[in-house]
Amino acid sequence: MDTMDKAIIYMDNAATTWPKPPQVMEAMERCMREAAANPGRGGHRMAVQASRVLFEGRKALAKLFRVGNPNDIAFALNTTHALNMALAGWLRAGDHVVTTSVEHNSVRRPLEAMKRKLGLNVTYVGTDAQGRLDPRKVREAIRPETRLIALGHSSNLLGTIAPVGEIGEIARKHGVKLLVDAAQSAGVLDLDVEAMGIDMLAFPGHKGLLGPQGTGGLYIHPDLDLEPLMHGGTGSKSEAPEQPAVRPDRYEAGTPNTVGIAGLAAGVKFILEQTPRRIHERELALTRRLMEGLEAIPGVKLLGPGIAEERTAIVSFLTEGADPSEIAFRLDREFGIAVRAGYHCTPLGHESAGTTETGAVRASPGYFTTESEIASLIEAVRELSGARGKI
Ligand SMILES: Cc1ncc(COP(=O)(O)O)c(C=O)c1O
């Protein structure tokens, strides 16, 4: 049986959310029709309109993350781009960085590259097998030459939520800057950069913020002067040979994704209306329902924190005797259900969870997932597990 023509049941929201609210598509179409000139590079009406689109996006994001000045948010292509802006912009030869053993490759690889090139020193603080991080261990890892703590807000493999507020306090007390990777939390967990002591916040537009791919950004505390990752045209101070000091131009060389940011702004406005709290509550209820259903299937092992604990909407699991890639392939082909399998860009996370040999199947419901879709996934895994011999 092949169900490729069947409507998709989309459970891969941790990678990119889908579907998007209709307002996102409408805003992008409107921008493309009416305002897709080059922002900041001309004084004509349409260029001014394009600049306005960017500012609207910045304003909505500033409201969501409680950033005082929207110009402290620089747009980026995705979380990875924003993390690279932060790490390359802040760290220098000989610095020490504290990070964790559940980080995504988007944190780990730039740090490892800087280790090779700059002689950076990195400490990976271990979590338990469920991805829980003890803030005391972070504090103990700080040395006199530590300049940064780089931390994912929520694990993309396990759904575990890191105690960012507590670590922000530790960072402040020790005069160390805190970079938070909000790839799995922006739009669903409360984020208040001042209250949580966050100096830099890297976020995607295409995940929980419900915008299109090719969007994201970095909040940079006003007191932090990062070296720009890219140098080039900004439409401002064109006579100067160096990158302008004024924000956000300093960190936004080249023509931005204006149409994408129009969509992102609409996504963020939708979230502000619904509130992250309500979105998280709904997603958590769906996640718990999914966990209950999967846990009851013989041979299925769930990863990450227990059902009663807070987590983001990520359910990674193994089915006894079956390869995660085959389970994912058959869920797609036979049941029209999209999940992700294998190694989730976090070899360290797999090591912590004890799944280096196997990888895992990851199902990630979203705000628009229905209870009947959750029931379909549980039923499909039950069928595939029952037919284990045939896998
Ligand atoms: C925790 C985490 N960090 C970083 C990333 C990279 O995000 P992006 O694809 O927006 O660069 C992801 C993507 O899944 C992620 O889950």
Side-chain angles (χ1 to χ4, degrees):
M1 177 181 43
D2 193 320
T3 52
M4 292 301 278
D5 51 349
K6 211 172 147 181
I8 192 166
I9 295 181
Y10 189 80
M11 295 272 185
D12 195 18
N13 289 279
T16 286
T17 51
W18 187 88
K20 310 291 181 185
Q23 299 91 307
V24 171
M25 273 86 83
E26 285 156 20
M28 291 176 76
E29 191 182 342
R30 199 176 327 117
C31 178
M32 187 56 107
R33 284 186 195 286
E34 298 170 8
N38 206 309
R41 269 83 168 168
H44 60 78
R45 267 173 301 172
M46 204 186 267
V48 171
Q49 190 59 20
S51 296
R52 214 169 275 149
V53 167
L54 298 188
F55 191 67
E56 281 299 307
R58 252 185 266 279
K59 240 177 36 188
L61 287 159
K63 192 165 177 197
L64 183 65
F65 301 139
R66 298 188 202 120
V67 168
N69 180 356
N71 289 332
D72 289 330
I73 295 172
F75 287 116
L77 290 173
N78 45 46
T79 328
T80 307
H81 181 199
L83 287 166
N84 275 272
M85 282 164 70
L87 296 170
W90 177 242
L91 294 170
R92 302 286 169 267
D95 285 350
H96 174 245
V97 180
V98 177
T99 187
T100 84
S101 68
V102 285
E103 296 309 316
H104 193 273
N105 274 340
S106 298
V107 171
R108 188 199 187 193
R109 285 182 174 164
L111 286 177
E112 288 294 321
M114 293 177 84
K115 232 164 103 174
R116 288 193 299 272
K117 282 191 215 150
L118 291 181
L120 198 76
N121 295 300
V122 182
T123 300
Y124 292 95
V125 174
T127 66
D128 70 7
Q130 283 70 43
R132 298 184 201 98
L133 178 67
D134 182 348
R136 277 175 310 180
K137 285 196 183 168
V138 173
R139 194 188 58 218
E140 284 161 15
I142 294 175
R143 305 180 193 163
E145 68 277 18
T146 307
R147 280 185 81 229
L148 185 72
I149 299 171
L151 180 71
H153 196 177
S154 170
S155 158
N156 64 306
L157 173 66
L158 303 167
T160 323
I161 298 169
V164 171
E166 278 176 73
I167 290 170
E169 259 179 53
I170 293 171
R172 265 190 195 154
K173 214 176 271 173
H174 289 79
V176 174
K177 301 302 174 198
L178 174 64
L179 164 64
V180 173
D181 168 2
Q184 296 299 337
S185 64
V188 292
L189 297 182
D190 216 25
L191 273 159
D192 179 329
V193 292
E194 276 302 320
M196 295 167 92
I198 299 172
D199 298 290
M200 292 175 276
L201 181 80
F203 60 88
H206 63 105
K207 299 187 195 255
L209 298 183
L210 306 175
Q213 294 180 346
T215 62
L218 180 69
Y219 157 73
I220 308 162
H221 190 283
D223 294 344
L224 272 190
D225 182 29
L226 304 185
E227 183 60 27
L229 183 66
M230 297 214 303
H231 300 254
T234 55
S236 55
K237 300 247 186 247
S238 291
E239 69 291 352
E242 69 277 357
Q243 204 63 15
V246 65
R247 294 181 180 205
D249 303 22
R250 183 160 181 74
Y251 304 111
E252 289 183 354
T255 302
N257 179 3
T258 310
V259 174
I261 289 160
L264 172 58
V268 175
K269 283 178 191 162
F270 175 86
I271 288 160
L272 287 166
E273 278 160 25
Q274 304 294 312
T275 73
R277 179 147 310 163
R278 211 181 309 152
I279 291 173
H280 177 56
E281 271 169 18
R282 175 170 168 71
E283 289 190 358
L284 190 59
L286 291 166
T287 301
R288 286 186 167 143
R289 177 70 208 97
L290 178 58
M291 289 173 75
E292 262 168 23
L294 291 178
E295 221 166 31
I297 302 171
V300 171
K301 178 175 179 261
L302 298 183
L303 306 179
I307 205 158
E309 267 178 76
E310 275 285 307
R311 59 153 71 205
T312 50
I314 283 173
V315 183
S316 289
F317 61 95
L318 298 169
T319 50
E320 198 183 310
D323 183 67
S325 319
E326 282 209 58
I327 292 282
F329 181 77
R330 291 187 63 181
L331 283 173
D332 181 36
R333 289 304 162 105
E334 296 173 29
F335 299 90
I337 301 173
V339 295
R340 183 169 163 186
Y343 297 97
H344 303 276
C345 300
T346 175
L348 295 175
H350 281 284
E351 223 173 89
S352 305
T355 55
T356 301
E357 299 298 316
T358 53
V361 183
R362 181 183 76 183
S364 47
Y367 190 52
F368 301 111
T369 301
T370 63
E371 285 182 20
S372 96
E373 288 177 322
I374 295 286
S376 299
L377 173 57
I378 295 167
E379 212 29 62
V381 174
R382 194 191 310 280
E383 254 184 65
L384 290 179
S385 296
R388 234 177 15 249
K390 286 188 244 150
I391 291 172

